[in-house]
Amino acid sequence: MIVARIHGEAILELPQDLYIPPEALEIVLDTFEGPLDLLLYLIRKHNLDILDICMAELTRQYLAYINAAKQRHELAAEYLLMAALLIEIKSRMLLPKHAEMEAEEDPRAELARRLLEYEKIKQAAITLDALEQAGRDFLLPHVPRDWLDIPEFPGVESEDLRRAWMSVASRVRMMNSHKVEREELSIREHMARILKKLQGRNAAEFVELFEAGAGLAILIVTFLALLELARESLVSIVQTDVFGTIYVKANNEF
Amino acid sequence: MNSDEAGIVLEAALLTTEDAIPIIEMAKLFEGELAPRDIENMLSELRCKWAGSGLELVEVSSGWRFRTRPEMQKFLDRLDPKKPQRYSRAALETLAIIAYKQPVTRGDIEEIRGVAVSTQILKMFESRCWIEVIGHRDVPGKPSLYATTSRFLDDLNLRSISDLPPLQNIEPQLEQHDT
Amino acid sequence: MNSDEAGIVLEAALLTTEDAIPIIEMAKLFEGELAPRDIENMLSELRCKWAGSGLELVEVSSGWRFRTRPEMQKFLDRLDPKKPQRYSRAALETLAIIAYKQPVTRGDIEEIRGVAVSTQILKMFESRCWIEVIGHRDVPGKPSLYATTSRFLDDLNLRSISDLPPLQNIEPQLEQHDT
């Protein structure tokens, strides 16, 4: 009778006589997903017929495994339970057969059924893993549907900001306590950019703050931004000697 | 709205959602002006239009959606080199049992695998919305019954559970012996 | 890889990536085989290809990405009719002050608005990555200086702060009064 080959991955190459170096045992048992997996391995490895298992041989090999493993670390209860089951089946097979017991099921049938069932699932798990999986083997389109990136946040458009500013400005006008100046926005933007550049460092060289290759307009705006930062005492501009390097430092040390 | 315009709207809708859209939902885009039949025709046209590109229009369990073709992945992985980690054997076996034997309780899974099932594995697939509790078995303790979701099918690009590869009979001789 | 294939890969990447992609990042798709110049050409071609569709390829401050054209909005809203929330007036005004007057301290904002600014509002915009602390003003208490981020620009579809609507048109009365 032909015995099926091992489906799926071959687990470990072990010597035919089942000698396992003790230190390898932990690894060996970790390789198995439980007693059924270990039994299947033993059956397939030794070309045993799953439908006509030689219980004495299988039990001997199984016990050899778990006895060796027990010396190394605590064994999961399932392995011990299976050992008991194997011994029970083996002993039932030793009992003399009576006439009325002929109709009774082979004591090994239930074990064979479970092993075959488990082997199918083991195979199914491999097949499942081989299917294309979203995020791993293909991606889904991700174009923002809204004007905004994150729909769960309230939406804001630049026009909302203009209106909000207008309402602040008109309130300020009514209170007449604060002068709101119109200012070149790009200057404020460059002020922020310069401060970001200065973040986390002592000082920067004056020239370093000007973007190389930027147009004249940008250079002027950067210069104005530096002056404005100095005026608002957000930065200090220092020069240690005449014609020496000019440094800009943020006034934010604690 | 002419059919060109409708095609543009449908394409935009499909490209801006990760979730598949059922045809009945697509009809809302046109406020009932188009019959499901018309929408199906538009979908076939869209599918042809996208042939030969990096994305394809596919039908999955919960509707239609675009996805990248598998041959794109090796390029796209270069943008985001951290690969999603693969599931452990224990996790995959648990998932396979739920997929093929659903609905199952945790006890059923343990019976088949012969070992305890970690709560972590079930939680992991629940949080990915691949499995869900669909009821309780009427036995003492009322254990939860797990089944796979349509999200699971969508993510594996399947239309229904019957599209899963059939369980292989490892030993066909078994049947011969029994009969 | 020929240029058609490269275009297909680039399109797939842009359609499936959540964030805008900078050109330097796109180069990774081709493992340096293509120069930024080539990629820019491909982007122009892609942009033309998508003209007349429901999506458009746009450049924002942190790179390139697709987005739906505004005229698609009314159709797409039918799929997902839940209206987006709005920010409170106080929140919008605070954001406007930070955007137009950056860098500003909380004190500056309070001075301009004439009322206290709640920490919650600043935290909310910080957690949305729209504003950040870029330094401290050198006065007693060393108050934090707030500025807007490039994420803010991306989300509002602006290339730079100077793309914000100019205030000139609405402020003449203000200036006439003041001067």
Coordinates of all heavy atoms in Angstrom, one line a residue, chain A residues 1-2 4 7 9 31 33-37 44 50-51 78 114 116-125 127-129 132-143 145, chain B residues 13 15-18 65-68 70 73 76 83-84 86 89-90 92-93 97 100-101 111-116 128 130 155-156 164-165 167-171 173-174 177:
Chain A
M1 N 0.8 -1.2 0.0 CA 0.0 0.0 0.0 C 0.9 1.3 0.0 O 1.9 1.4 0.7 CB -0.9 0.0 1.3 CG -1.8 1.2 1.3 SD -2.9 1.0 2.7 CE -3.9 2.4 2.4
I2 N 0.5 2.2 -0.9 CA 1.3 3.4 -1.0 C 0.9 4.4 0.2 O -0.2 4.6 0.5 CB 1.0 4.1 -2.3 CG1 1.2 3.2 -3.5 CG2 1.9 5.4 -2.4 CD1 0.3 3.4 -4.6
A4 N 1.1 8.2 1.6 CA 1.3 9.5 1.0 C 2.6 10.1 1.5 O 3.1 9.8 2.5 CB 0.1 10.4 1.5
H7 N 3.2 16.2 2.9 CA 2.8 17.4 2.3 C 3.3 18.6 3.0 O 3.6 18.5 4.2 CB 1.2 17.5 2.3 CG 0.6 16.5 1.3 ND1 0.2 16.9 0.1 CD2 0.5 15.2 1.4 CE1 -0.3 15.8 -0.6 NE2 -0.1 14.8 0.2
E9 N 5.9 21.5 4.3 CA 7.3 21.6 4.5 C 7.9 20.4 5.3 O 7.2 19.8 6.2 CB 7.7 22.9 5.3 CG 7.5 22.8 6.8 CD 6.1 23.3 7.2 OE1 5.1 22.8 6.6 OE2 6.0 24.2 8.1
T31 N 9.1 23.1 17.2 CA 8.8 23.0 15.8 C 7.4 22.5 15.6 O 6.8 22.7 14.6 CB 9.8 22.1 15.1 OG1 11.1 22.5 15.5 CG2 9.7 22.3 13.6
E33 N 3.4 21.9 16.4 CA 2.2 22.6 16.8 C 1.4 21.9 17.8 O 0.3 22.3 18.1 CB 1.4 23.1 15.7 CG 2.0 24.2 14.8 CD 2.1 25.5 15.6 OE1 1.2 25.8 16.5 OE2 3.1 26.2 15.4
G34 N 1.9 20.8 18.4 CA 1.2 20.0 19.3 C 1.4 18.5 19.1 O 2.1 18.1 18.2
P35 N 0.7 17.7 19.9 CA 0.9 16.2 19.8 C 0.5 15.7 18.5 O 1.2 14.7 18.0 CB 0.1 15.7 21.0 CG -0.8 16.8 21.4 CD -0.1 18.0 21.1
L36 N -0.6 16.2 17.9 CA -1.0 15.6 16.6 C 0.1 15.9 15.5 O 0.3 15.0 14.7 CB -2.3 16.3 16.2 CG -3.6 15.9 17.0 CD1 -4.8 16.7 16.6 CD2 -3.9 14.4 16.8
D37 N 0.6 17.1 15.6 CA 1.7 17.5 14.7 C 2.9 16.5 14.8 O 3.4 16.1 13.8 CB 2.0 18.9 14.9 CG 2.7 19.6 13.7 OD1 2.5 19.0 12.6 OD2 3.4 20.6 13.9
R44 N 4.8 10.0 9.2 CA 5.3 10.3 7.8 C 6.8 10.0 7.7 O 7.2 9.5 6.7 CB 5.0 11.8 7.5 CG 3.6 12.2 7.4 CD 2.8 11.2 6.5 NE 1.4 11.7 6.3 CZ 0.5 10.9 5.8 NH1 0.7 9.6 5.6 NH2 -0.7 11.3 5.7
I50 N -1.0 5.4 8.0 CA -1.9 6.1 9.0 C -3.2 5.3 9.3 O -3.8 5.5 10.3 CB -2.2 7.5 8.4 CG1 -2.5 8.5 9.6 CG2 -3.3 7.5 7.4 CD1 -2.4 9.9 9.2
L51 N -3.6 4.4 8.3 CA -4.8 3.7 8.5 C -4.6 2.4 9.2 O -5.5 1.6 9.5 CB -5.5 3.5 7.2 CG -6.0 4.8 6.5 CD1 -6.5 4.6 5.1 CD2 -7.0 5.6 7.4
E78 N -1.1 18.7 26.9 CA -1.6 18.0 25.7 C -0.7 16.8 25.3 O -1.2 15.8 24.9 CB -1.8 18.9 24.5 CG -2.8 20.0 24.7 CD -2.2 21.3 25.1 OE1 -1.0 21.4 25.5 OE2 -2.9 22.3 25.1
R114 N -8.6 11.8 13.4 CA -8.1 13.1 13.9 C -6.8 13.5 13.2 O -6.6 14.7 12.8 CB -7.9 13.1 15.4 CG -9.2 13.1 16.2 CD -8.9 13.3 17.7 NE -8.3 14.5 18.0 CZ -7.7 14.8 19.2 NH1 -7.7 13.9 20.2 NH2 -7.2 16.0 19.4
L116 N -5.8 12.6 10.2 CA -6.1 13.0 8.8 C -6.8 14.4 8.8 O -6.5 15.2 7.9 CB -7.0 12.0 8.1 CG -6.3 10.7 7.8 CD1 -7.3 9.6 7.3 CD2 -5.2 10.9 6.7
E117 N -7.7 14.7 9.7 CA -8.3 15.9 9.8 C -7.3 17.1 10.0 O -7.3 18.1 9.4 CB -9.4 15.9 10.9 CG -10.1 17.2 11.2 CD -11.2 17.4 10.3 OE1 -11.5 16.6 9.4 OE2 -11.9 18.5 10.4
Y118 N -6.4 16.8 10.9 CA -5.4 17.8 11.3 C -4.5 18.0 10.1 O -4.1 19.1 9.8 CB -4.6 17.4 12.5 CG -3.5 18.4 12.8 CD1 -3.9 19.7 13.2 CD2 -2.2 18.1 12.6 CE1 -2.9 20.7 13.4 CE2 -1.2 19.0 12.8 CZ -1.5 20.3 13.2 OH -0.6 21.2 13.4
E119 N -4.2 16.9 9.4 CA -3.2 17.1 8.3 C -3.9 17.9 7.2 O -3.2 18.7 6.5 CB -2.8 15.7 7.7 CG -1.7 15.8 6.7 CD -1.0 14.5 6.4 OE1 -1.8 13.5 6.2 OE2 0.2 14.4 6.4
K120 N -5.2 17.8 7.0 CA -5.9 18.6 6.0 C -5.8 20.1 6.3 O -5.6 20.9 5.5 CB -7.4 18.2 6.0 CG -7.8 17.3 4.9 CD -9.3 17.3 4.8 CE -9.9 15.9 4.6 NZ -11.4 15.9 4.6
I121 N -6.0 20.4 7.6 CA -6.0 21.7 8.1 C -4.6 22.3 8.0 O -4.4 23.5 7.6 CB -6.5 21.8 9.5 CG1 -8.0 21.6 9.5 CG2 -6.1 23.2 10.2 CD1 -8.8 22.7 8.7
K122 N -3.6 21.5 8.3 CA -2.2 21.9 8.2 C -1.9 22.3 6.7 O -1.3 23.4 6.4 CB -1.3 20.7 8.5 CG -0.1 21.1 9.3 CD 0.7 19.8 9.7 CE 2.1 20.0 9.1 NZ 2.9 18.9 9.5
Q123 N -2.4 21.5 5.8 CA -2.2 21.8 4.4 C -3.0 23.1 4.0 O -2.5 23.9 3.3 CB -2.7 20.6 3.6 CG -2.5 20.7 2.1 CD -1.0 20.9 1.7 OE1 -0.1 20.4 2.4 NE2 -0.7 21.8 0.8
A124 N -4.3 23.2 4.5 CA -5.1 24.3 4.2 C -4.4 25.6 4.7 O -4.5 26.7 4.0 CB -6.5 24.2 4.8
A125 N -3.8 25.6 5.8 CA -3.1 26.8 6.4 C -2.0 27.2 5.4 O -1.8 28.4 5.2 CB -2.5 26.5 7.7
T127 N -1.9 26.6 2.2 CA -2.6 27.1 1.0 C -3.1 28.5 1.2 O -3.0 29.4 0.3 CB -3.8 26.2 0.6 OG1 -3.3 24.9 0.7 CG2 -4.2 26.5 -0.8
L128 N -3.7 28.7 2.4 CA -4.3 30.0 2.7 C -3.2 31.1 2.7 O -3.4 32.2 2.2 CB -4.9 29.9 4.1 CG -6.1 30.8 4.5 CD1 -7.2 30.7 3.5 CD2 -6.6 30.5 5.9
D129 N -2.1 30.8 3.3 CA -1.0 31.7 3.3 C -0.5 32.1 2.0 O 0.1 33.1 1.8 CB 0.1 31.1 4.2 CG 1.1 32.2 4.6 OD1 0.7 33.3 4.9 OD2 2.3 31.9 4.6
E132 N -3.1 35.5 -2.4 CA -2.8 36.9 -2.4 C -3.5 37.6 -1.2 O -4.7 37.4 -1.0 CB -3.3 37.6 -3.7 CG -2.5 37.2 -4.9 CD -3.1 37.8 -6.1 OE1 -4.1 38.5 -6.0 OE2 -2.6 37.5 -7.2
Q133 N -2.8 38.5 -0.6 CA -3.3 39.1 0.6 C -3.2 40.6 0.5 O -2.1 41.1 0.2 CB -2.5 38.6 1.8 CG -3.3 38.5 3.1 CD -2.4 38.0 4.2 OE1 -1.7 38.7 4.8 NE2 -2.4 36.7 4.4
A134 N -4.3 41.3 0.7 CA -4.2 42.8 0.6 C -3.2 43.3 1.6 O -3.1 42.9 2.7 CB -5.6 43.4 1.0
G135 N -2.4 44.3 1.1 CA -1.4 44.9 2.0 C -0.1 44.2 1.9 O 1.0 44.8 2.1
R136 N -0.1 42.9 1.6 CA 1.1 42.1 1.5 C 1.5 41.9 0.0 O 2.6 42.1 -0.4 CB 1.0 40.8 2.2 CG 2.3 40.0 2.3 CD 2.1 38.6 2.9 NE 1.5 37.7 1.9 CZ 1.1 36.5 2.2 NH1 1.2 36.0 3.4 NH2 0.6 35.8 1.2
D137 N 0.5 41.4 -0.8 CA 0.7 41.1 -2.2 C 0.1 42.1 -3.2 O 0.4 42.0 -4.3 CB 0.2 39.7 -2.5 CG 0.8 38.7 -1.5 OD1 2.0 38.6 -1.4 OD2 0.0 38.0 -0.8
F138 N -0.8 42.9 -2.7 CA -1.3 43.9 -3.5 C -1.9 45.0 -2.6 O -2.0 44.9 -1.4 CB -2.5 43.4 -4.5 CG -3.7 42.9 -3.7 CD1 -4.7 43.7 -3.4 CD2 -3.8 41.5 -3.4 CE1 -5.8 43.2 -2.7 CE2 -4.9 41.0 -2.8 CZ -5.9 41.8 -2.4
L139 N -2.0 46.2 -3.2 CA -2.4 47.4 -2.5 C -3.8 47.9 -3.0 O -4.2 47.6 -4.2 CB -1.4 48.5 -2.6 CG 0.0 48.2 -2.1 CD1 0.9 49.4 -2.3 CD2 0.0 47.8 -0.6
L140 N -4.5 48.7 -2.2 CA -5.7 49.2 -2.6 C -5.6 50.7 -2.9 O -4.7 51.3 -2.3 CB -6.8 49.0 -1.5 CG -6.9 47.5 -1.1 CD1 -7.8 47.3 0.1 CD2 -7.5 46.7 -2.3
P141 N -6.4 51.3 -3.8 CA -6.2 52.7 -4.1 C -6.5 53.5 -2.8 O -7.3 53.2 -2.0 CB -7.3 52.9 -5.2 CG -8.2 51.8 -5.1 CD -7.5 50.6 -4.5
H142 N -5.8 54.6 -2.8 CA -5.9 55.5 -1.6 C -5.9 56.9 -2.0 O -5.0 57.7 -1.5 CB -4.7 55.1 -0.7 CG -5.0 55.1 0.8 ND1 -5.6 56.2 1.4 CD2 -5.0 54.2 1.7 CE1 -5.8 56.0 2.6 NE2 -5.5 54.7 2.9
V143 N -6.8 57.3 -2.8 CA -6.8 58.7 -3.2 C -7.8 59.4 -2.3 O -8.9 58.9 -2.1 CB -7.3 58.8 -4.7 CG1 -7.5 60.3 -5.1 CG2 -6.4 58.1 -5.6
R145 N -10.7 61.4 -0.9 CA -11.9 61.7 -1.6 C -12.3 63.1 -1.3 O -13.0 63.8 -2.0 CB -13.0 60.7 -1.0 CG -14.3 60.9 -1.6 CD -15.3 59.9 -1.1 NE -15.1 58.7 -1.8 CZ -15.9 57.6 -1.6 NH1 -16.9 57.7 -0.7 NH2 -15.8 56.5 -2.3
Chain B
A13 N -15.1 57.4 -7.8 CA -15.6 56.7 -6.6 C -14.8 55.5 -6.2 O -14.5 55.3 -5.1 CB -17.1 56.4 -6.8
L15 N -11.8 54.7 -7.1 CA -10.4 55.0 -6.8 C -10.2 55.7 -5.5 O -9.1 55.8 -5.0 CB -9.7 55.8 -7.9 CG -9.4 55.1 -9.2 CD1 -9.0 56.0 -10.3 CD2 -8.3 54.0 -9.0
T16 N -11.3 56.2 -4.9 CA -11.1 56.9 -3.7 C -11.6 56.1 -2.5 O -11.7 56.6 -1.4 CB -11.9 58.2 -3.7 OG1 -13.2 57.9 -4.1 CG2 -11.3 59.2 -4.7
T17 N -11.8 54.8 -2.6 CA -12.2 54.0 -1.5 C -11.4 52.8 -1.4 O -11.1 52.2 -2.4 CB -13.7 53.7 -1.5 OG1 -14.0 52.9 -0.4 CG2 -14.1 53.0 -2.8
E18 N -11.0 52.4 -0.2 CA -10.4 51.1 0.0 C -11.4 50.0 0.0 O -11.1 48.8 -0.4 CB -9.6 51.1 1.3 CG -8.4 51.9 1.3 CD -7.5 51.5 2.5 OE1 -8.0 51.4 3.6 OE2 -6.3 51.2 2.2
R65 N -13.9 46.7 -6.7 CA -12.9 47.7 -6.3 C -11.7 47.5 -7.1 O -11.5 46.5 -7.8 CB -12.5 47.5 -4.8 CG -11.8 46.2 -4.6 CD -11.0 46.2 -3.3 NE -10.3 45.0 -3.2 CZ -10.1 44.4 -2.0 NH1 -10.5 44.8 -0.9 NH2 -9.4 43.3 -2.0
F66 N -10.9 48.6 -7.1 CA -9.6 48.5 -7.8 C -8.5 47.9 -6.8 O -8.7 48.0 -5.6 CB -9.1 49.9 -8.2 CG -9.7 50.4 -9.4 CD1 -10.7 51.4 -9.4 CD2 -9.2 49.9 -10.7 CE1 -11.2 51.8 -10.6 CE2 -9.8 50.4 -11.8 CZ -10.8 51.4 -11.8
R67 N -7.5 47.2 -7.4 CA -6.4 46.8 -6.6 C -5.2 46.8 -7.5 O -5.3 46.7 -8.8 CB -6.6 45.4 -6.1 CG -7.1 44.4 -7.2 CD -6.8 43.0 -6.8 NE -5.5 42.6 -7.3 CZ -5.0 41.4 -7.1 NH1 -5.7 40.4 -6.5 NH2 -3.8 41.1 -7.6
T68 N -4.0 46.8 -6.9 CA -2.8 46.8 -7.8 C -2.6 45.3 -8.3 O -3.0 44.4 -7.6 CB -1.5 47.2 -7.0 OG1 -1.4 46.4 -5.9 CG2 -1.6 48.7 -6.6
P70 N -0.5 42.0 -8.9 CA 0.6 41.5 -8.0 C 2.0 41.8 -8.6 O 2.9 42.0 -7.8 CB 0.3 40.0 -8.1 CG -1.1 39.8 -8.5 CD -1.5 41.0 -9.3
Q73 N 3.9 44.7 -7.0 CA 4.3 44.7 -5.6 C 5.8 44.9 -5.4 O 6.3 45.6 -4.5 CB 3.8 43.4 -4.9 CG 3.7 43.6 -3.4 CD 2.8 44.7 -3.0 OE1 1.8 45.1 -3.7 NE2 3.1 45.4 -1.9
L76 N 6.4 48.5 -5.6 CA 5.8 49.3 -4.5 C 6.4 49.0 -3.2 O 6.5 49.9 -2.3 CB 4.3 49.0 -4.5 CG 3.5 49.3 -5.8 CD1 2.1 48.9 -5.7 CD2 3.6 50.8 -6.1
K83 N 8.0 45.0 5.3 CA 7.0 44.0 4.9 C 6.1 43.7 6.1 O 6.5 43.5 7.2 CB 7.7 42.7 4.5 CG 8.3 42.7 3.1 CD 7.4 41.8 2.2 CE 6.8 42.5 1.1 NZ 5.8 42.0 0.4
P84 N 4.8 43.5 5.8 CA 4.0 43.0 6.9 C 4.4 41.6 7.3 O 4.8 40.8 6.5 CB 2.6 42.9 6.3 CG 2.8 43.1 4.8 CD 4.1 43.7 4.5
R86 N 4.6 37.8 8.5 CA 3.8 36.7 8.1 C 3.2 36.1 9.4 O 3.8 36.2 10.5 CB 4.7 35.6 7.4 CG 5.2 36.2 6.1 CD 5.8 35.1 5.3 NE 4.8 34.4 4.5 CZ 4.5 34.7 3.2 NH1 5.2 35.7 2.6 NH2 3.6 34.1 2.6
R89 N 2.5 29.6 12.2 CA 1.7 28.4 11.8 C 0.5 28.2 12.7 O -0.6 27.9 12.2 CB 2.6 27.2 12.0 CG 3.2 26.7 10.7 CD 4.0 25.4 10.9 NE 3.1 24.3 11.2 CZ 3.6 23.2 11.7 NH1 4.8 23.0 12.0 NH2 2.7 22.2 11.9
A90 N 0.6 28.5 14.0 CA -0.5 28.4 14.9 C -1.7 29.3 14.4 O -2.8 28.9 14.4 CB -0.1 28.7 16.3
L92 N -2.1 30.6 11.4 CA -2.7 30.2 10.1 C -3.6 29.0 10.2 O -4.6 28.9 9.6 CB -1.5 29.9 9.1 CG -0.9 31.2 8.5 CD1 0.4 30.8 7.8 CD2 -1.8 31.9 7.6
E93 N -3.2 28.0 11.1 CA -4.0 26.9 11.2 C -5.4 27.2 11.9 O -6.4 26.7 11.5 CB -3.3 25.8 12.1 CG -2.2 25.2 11.3 CD -1.4 24.1 12.1 OE1 -1.8 23.8 13.2 OE2 -0.3 23.7 11.7
I97 N -9.0 26.7 10.1 CA -10.2 26.0 10.7 C -11.4 26.9 10.7 O -12.5 26.4 10.3 CB -9.8 25.5 12.2 CG1 -8.7 24.5 12.1 CG2 -11.0 25.0 12.9 CD1 -8.1 24.2 13.5
Y100 N -12.7 27.1 7.0 CA -13.2 25.9 6.3 C -14.3 25.3 7.1 O -15.1 24.5 6.6 CB -12.1 24.9 6.1 CG -11.2 25.3 4.9 CD1 -10.0 26.0 5.0 CD2 -11.6 25.0 3.6 CE1 -9.2 26.4 3.9 CE2 -10.8 25.3 2.5 CZ -9.6 26.0 2.7 OH -8.9 26.3 1.6
K101 N -14.3 25.5 8.4 CA -15.3 24.7 9.3 C -16.3 25.6 9.9 O -17.0 25.2 10.8 CB -14.5 24.0 10.4 CG -13.4 23.1 9.9 CD -13.9 21.8 9.5 CE -12.9 21.0 8.8 NZ -13.4 19.7 8.3
E111 N -9.9 21.1 19.5 CA -10.2 19.7 19.2 C -9.4 19.3 17.9 O -8.7 18.2 17.9 CB -11.7 19.4 19.1 CG -12.1 18.1 18.5 CD -11.9 16.9 19.5 OE1 -11.7 17.2 20.7 OE2 -11.8 15.8 19.0
I112 N -9.5 20.1 16.9 CA -8.9 19.7 15.6 C -7.3 19.9 15.7 O -6.6 19.0 15.3 CB -9.4 20.6 14.5 CG1 -10.9 20.3 14.2 CG2 -8.6 20.4 13.2 CD1 -11.5 21.2 13.2
R113 N -6.9 20.9 16.4 CA -5.4 21.2 16.4 C -4.8 20.3 17.6 O -3.6 20.1 17.5 CB -5.1 22.6 16.6 CG -5.5 23.5 15.4 CD -4.9 24.9 15.5 NE -3.4 24.8 15.5 CZ -2.6 25.3 16.4 NH1 -3.1 26.0 17.3 NH2 -1.3 25.2 16.3
G114 N -5.6 19.9 18.6 CA -5.0 19.1 19.6 C -4.2 19.9 20.7 O -3.5 19.3 21.5
V115 N -4.3 21.2 20.6 CA -3.7 22.1 21.6 C -4.5 23.3 21.9 O -5.5 23.6 21.1 CB -2.3 22.7 21.1 CG1 -1.2 21.6 21.1 CG2 -2.4 23.3 19.7
A116 N -4.2 24.0 23.0 CA -5.0 25.2 23.3 C -4.8 26.3 22.3 O -3.7 26.4 21.7 CB -4.6 25.6 24.7
R128 N -8.3 42.6 13.0 CA -8.1 42.8 11.6 C -9.4 42.7 10.8 O -9.5 42.9 9.6 CB -7.1 41.8 11.0 CG -6.5 42.3 9.7 CD -5.4 41.5 9.1 NE -5.2 42.0 7.7 CZ -4.3 41.6 6.9 NH1 -3.5 40.6 7.3 NH2 -4.1 42.1 5.7
W130 N -11.1 40.1 10.3 CA -11.1 38.9 9.4 C -12.1 37.8 10.0 O -12.6 37.0 9.3 CB -9.7 38.3 9.3 CG -8.9 38.9 8.2 CD1 -9.3 40.1 7.5 CD2 -7.7 38.5 7.6 NE1 -8.3 40.3 6.6 CE2 -7.4 39.4 6.6 CE3 -6.9 37.3 7.9 CZ2 -6.2 39.2 5.8 CZ3 -5.7 37.2 7.1 CH2 -5.4 38.1 6.1
D155 N -10.0 40.9 1.5 CA -8.6 41.0 1.6 C -7.8 39.9 0.9 O -6.7 40.0 0.5 CB -8.2 41.1 3.1 CG -8.4 42.5 3.6 OD1 -8.8 43.4 2.9 OD2 -8.1 42.7 4.8
L156 N -8.5 38.7 0.7 CA -7.9 37.6 0.0 C -8.4 37.6 -1.4 O -8.1 36.6 -2.2 CB -8.1 36.3 0.7 CG -7.5 36.2 2.1 CD1 -7.8 34.8 2.6 CD2 -6.0 36.4 2.1
L164 N -12.5 29.6 -1.8 CA -11.3 29.1 -1.1 C -10.8 27.9 -1.8 O -11.6 27.1 -2.3 CB -11.6 28.8 0.3 CG -11.6 30.0 1.3 CD1 -12.0 29.4 2.7 CD2 -10.2 30.6 1.4
P165 N -9.5 27.6 -1.9 CA -9.0 26.4 -2.5 C -9.6 25.2 -1.7 O -9.7 25.3 -0.5 CB -7.5 26.4 -2.3 CG -7.2 27.8 -1.9 CD -8.4 28.5 -1.4
L167 N -10.3 21.9 0.3 CA -9.5 21.1 1.2 C -9.0 19.8 0.5 O -9.8 19.2 -0.1 CB -10.3 20.6 2.4 CG -10.5 21.6 3.6 CD1 -11.3 21.0 4.7 CD2 -9.2 22.1 4.1
Q168 N -7.7 19.6 0.6 CA -7.2 18.4 -0.1 C -7.4 17.2 0.7 O -7.1 17.2 1.9 CB -5.7 18.6 -0.4 CG -5.5 19.5 -1.6 CD -4.1 19.8 -1.8 OE1 -3.2 19.1 -1.3 NE2 -3.8 20.8 -2.6
N169 N -7.7 16.1 0.0 CA -7.7 14.8 0.7 C -6.3 14.3 0.6 O -5.8 14.0 -0.5 CB -8.7 13.9 0.0 CG -10.0 13.9 0.7 OD1 -10.1 14.0 1.9 ND2 -11.1 13.7 -0.1
I170 N -5.7 14.2 1.8 CA -4.3 13.8 1.8 C -4.2 12.3 1.3 O -3.4 11.9 0.6 CB -3.7 14.0 3.1 CG1 -4.0 15.3 3.7 CG2 -2.2 13.7 3.1 CD1 -3.3 16.5 3.1
E171 N -5.2 11.5 1.9 CA -5.1 10.1 1.6 C -6.4 9.6 1.0 O -7.3 9.2 1.7 CB -4.8 9.3 2.8 CG -3.3 8.9 2.8 CD -2.9 8.3 4.1 OE1 -3.1 7.1 4.2 OE2 -2.5 9.0 5.0
Q173 N -7.1 7.0 -0.3 CA -7.3 5.6 -0.1 C -8.2 5.4 1.1 O -8.9 4.3 1.2 CB -6.0 4.8 0.3 CG -4.9 5.0 -0.7 CD -3.9 6.1 -0.3 OE1 -4.4 7.2 0.0 NE2 -2.7 5.8 -0.4
L174 N -8.3 6.4 2.0 CA -9.2 6.3 3.1 C -10.6 5.9 2.7 O -11.2 5.0 3.3 CB -9.2 7.6 3.9 CG -10.0 7.7 5.1 CD1 -9.5 6.7 6.2 CD2 -10.1 9.1 5.7
H177 N -11.0 2.4 1.7 CA -11.0 1.4 2.8 C -12.4 1.4 3.5 O -12.9 0.4 3.9 CB -10.0 1.9 3.8 CG -8.6 1.2 3.6 ND1 -8.2 0.1 4.2 CD2 -7.7 1.5 2.7 CE1 -7.0 -0.2 3.8 NE2 -6.7 0.7 2.8

